[in-house]
Amino acid sequence: LTVNDSTRWGATNYIVHDINSLRKGAEKNDSFSRYVLAQIYNRERMGLGIQNGCHLAFRELNKAVENGYAPAMDYLAVFYWDDAQLTCGHELGDDQWGIFSCSKAVDLYTKAANLGYVPSQIMLGDVYTYGEDFLCKEPNPKLAFKWYSQAAKSNDPDALFNMIRVLYQGLGTSVNYKQAFDYAQRIKDVEPSALIWLGKMYFYGKGTKQDYKKAFEVLNQWKSVDGEHFNNRYYYENAYYLLGLMYQKGLGTKQDLEKAKEYFKEIGKEYMMATDDTYPVEFLLRNVVENNNAQAQKVLEGKELQDSAKTMLEYAKKAYAGDSDSMYKLGSLLHDSENQALFYPKGTKDDKTDCDGAFETEAYKWIKKAATLGNADAQFMLGEAYETGVIPSGTAWWYGHCMTDPVV
């Protein structure tokens, strides 16, 4: 068994040749031995024959925690909230285990983080970023930033990657595109998804000079390294969206509408190409509403539209012209799930074609713009959304829901 751990907490590439040597270490109350034993017991109980593995793992971890050993705190915390570990509770019994306890998990992560354990610091950053969608705490962007920035002092790539996001979006701190860009440059060779952030910043000219060629280059570099196996939909869609735009508009590369169409189709955004009669009315309407596409608008103006589509088209035209009342009304229409059918050709809606909250993101983008311009109805609706948690405070919600820059 090879255990990778920081030298501060034990040994790097520590090779365990004999479980008995670990047991002897545990008998001497060596925390690292207890920590490694707990991992062996917990894993082996799943099929390799150690009896009472859950009891043994739980015992060793608690002993190591009593010694103030941070990695054991981090590992024990998982037992209190992760579904894969909660089955252990059935083996231990309610008298020893109790029930799911998010608060115990967070307490353990906090103790380990205060001892300087980087994985726990990153975990707390996630806890306070995503709130109850992740663990039991309310979102708290300032605390999220506190723990991410603490972890970043170690130059851990995962910590720096999280710092890119919070600095780019100003979550719990001021927006700092330059620092976000510097972090992305620093970890791009070890964390391929940082290339997507670099591509995005080159494309929009944030933190660096706008450079479409460089954006195209680094996004294709990401695709060649990690693009076929990347599971995080948010970053995957960002990359494909920007590549689609560059091929569509000839930015940083030769215009190629077929390739643009391929990229947009891959992420369920075929409507980005809808500019003529060969596309469904629904795609044309969405291209107007989201992109203010003049060609799509001209086509729609020559068609007979149902009243709801006419209303949305009219509000979109006025909203893009700067009318705050139309911005609010457009946002309200987009927020109403019944109106979302206007964007899908009949019989074609597939829940996989839009990221979670796609229309909510677009709706609140317009509502926030109207509120910023002084529209009282929009201000009330936005305030109510923050108060009720529809949009968690600190704008982490914008990050989690969709692929384009939040509220631009």
Side-chain angles (χ1 to χ4, degrees):
L1 174 71
T2 299
V3 178
N4 292 308
D5 200 358
S6 67
T7 53
R8 177 176 178 183
W9 302 109
T12 302
N13 294 322
Y14 185 93
I15 308 297
V16 179
H17 296 289
D18 182 2
I19 194 171
N20 290 326
S21 65
L22 286 171
R23 286 173 173 154
K24 288 178 181 178
E27 288 172 3
K28 296 177 181 178
N29 203 23
D30 177 68
S31 296
F32 182 71
S33 296
R34 291 189 183 280
Y35 170 61
V36 177
L37 272 177
Q39 294 182 63
I40 295 171
Y41 290 147
N42 187 42
R43 290 170 183 167
E44 297 295 289
R45 75 180 174 83
M46 298 177 182
L48 296 180
I50 290 182
Q51 297 297 314
N52 300 316
C54 203
H55 290 270
L56 295 170
F58 196 65
R59 181 193 69 191
E60 297 299 343
L61 285 173
N62 274 288
K63 290 289 186 181
V65 167
E66 288 173 8
N67 293 340
Y69 191 62
M73 297 173 190
D74 184 88
Y75 191 34
L76 183 59
V78 179
F79 278 66
Y80 284 108
W81 71 271
D82 185 86
D83 287 342
Q85 302 296 346
L86 285 174
T87 56
C88 201
H90 298 299
E91 296 180 33
L92 290 166
D94 289 345
D95 57 326
Q96 298 180 62
W97 183 262
I99 57 174
F100 172 90
S101 180
C102 174
S103 60
K104 285 184 180 180
V106 174
D107 286 347
L108 285 163
Y109 284 131
T110 303
K111 288 177 181 178
N114 281 322
L115 290 170
Y117 192 57
V118 172
S120 291
Q121 293 172 339
I122 295 172
M123 177 61 77
L124 284 177
D126 291 343
V127 167
Y128 289 112
T129 293
Y130 302 108
E132 291 181 0
D133 287 342
F134 188 65
L135 273 176
C136 53
K137 294 293 184 179
E138 288 292 319
N140 188 324
K142 288 186 177 180
L143 280 177
F145 175 73
K146 169 191 169 180
W147 288 117
Y148 284 144
S149 57
Q150 283 289 325
K153 292 177 182 178
S154 69
N155 289 317
D156 180 89
D158 288 339
L160 294 178
F161 184 77
N162 280 294
M163 285 296 289
I164 297 168
R165 173 170 56 82
V166 297
L167 290 167
Y168 186 92
Q169 297 182 340
L171 302 180
T173 186
S174 300
V175 169
N176 189 332
Y177 296 128
K178 180 66 170 64
Q179 186 66 67
F181 181 83
D182 289 344
Y183 281 149
Q185 285 278 34
R186 191 188 302 181
I187 65 170
K188 64 182 180 182
D189 294 330
V190 293
E191 179 55 71
S193 47
L195 291 166
I196 299 176
W197 280 112
L198 286 175
K200 188 172 185 175
M201 287 186 271
Y202 278 124
F203 184 90
Y204 290 111
K206 293 181 177 180
T208 188
K209 183 180 179 181
Q210 190 173 52
D211 188 333
Y212 294 125
K213 286 186 177 180
K214 196 68 177 175
F216 185 77
E217 175 187 319
V218 297
L219 288 172
N220 275 286
Q221 184 182 349
W222 162 78
K223 192 170 183 293
S224 67
V225 172
D226 205 36
E228 301 302 321
H229 307 285
F230 203 68
N231 294 321
N232 188 311
R233 186 170 181 177
Y234 173 79
Y235 295 108
Y236 169 84
E237 290 193 355
N238 260 276
Y240 273 53
Y241 176 74
L242 292 176
L243 286 167
L245 280 181
M246 286 187 278
Y247 276 120
Q248 183 186 38
K249 301 178 182 297
L251 302 173
T253 188
K254 184 179 179 180
Q255 186 180 51
D256 190 328
L257 297 181
E258 284 303 312
K259 283 191 176 180
K261 188 175 182 179
E262 288 175 15
Y263 277 107
F264 288 136
K265 187 175 182 179
E266 180 71 21
I267 57 174
K269 293 192 173 290
E270 299 99 314
Y271 64 86
M272 294 289 296
M273 302 294 295
T275 56
D276 57 46
D277 272 321
T278 64
Y279 288 90
V281 166
E282 294 84 356
F283 283 178
L284 291 162
L285 180 61
R286 192 165 180 182
N287 202 9
V288 173
V289 170
E290 290 194 13
N291 303 309
N292 195 26
N293 188 280
Q295 292 171 280
Q297 181 178 312
K298 186 175 180 180
V299 174
L300 286 174
E301 288 172 347
K303 291 181 175 291
E304 285 293 327
L305 302 175
Q306 56 180 298
D307 289 344
S308 54
K310 284 182 181 177
T311 301
M312 188 168 290
L313 180 62
E314 190 62 29
Y315 286 152
K317 288 163 60 178
K318 292 180 179 179
Y320 278 108
D323 180 66
S324 65
D325 188 54
S326 295
M327 292 176 186
Y328 164 68
K329 290 177 178 177
L330 178 61
S332 298
L333 287 177
L334 290 167
H335 187 260
D336 186 342
S337 60
E338 290 186 6
N339 292 318
Q340 293 169 14
L342 293 171
F343 298 116
Y344 295 98
K346 191 173 182 180
T348 64
K349 186 173 189 315
D350 178 352
D351 288 338
K352 295 179 181 178
T353 62
D354 280 298
C355 58
D356 294 338
F359 292 104
E360 290 172 277
T361 301
E362 190 70 15
Y364 280 108
K365 179 182 79 173
W366 284 112
I367 291 165
K368 185 168 185 178
K369 284 184 176 182
T372 302
L373 290 173
N375 185 282
D377 289 329
Q379 291 170 344
F380 179 82
M381 187 172 180
L382 192 65
E384 190 176 53
Y386 280 116
E387 183 178 11
T388 59
V390 173
I391 308 174
S393 60
T395 70
W397 180 87
W398 299 110
Y399 160 72
H401 278 66
C402 263
M403 48 161 281
T404 51
D405 271 14
V407 199
V408 292

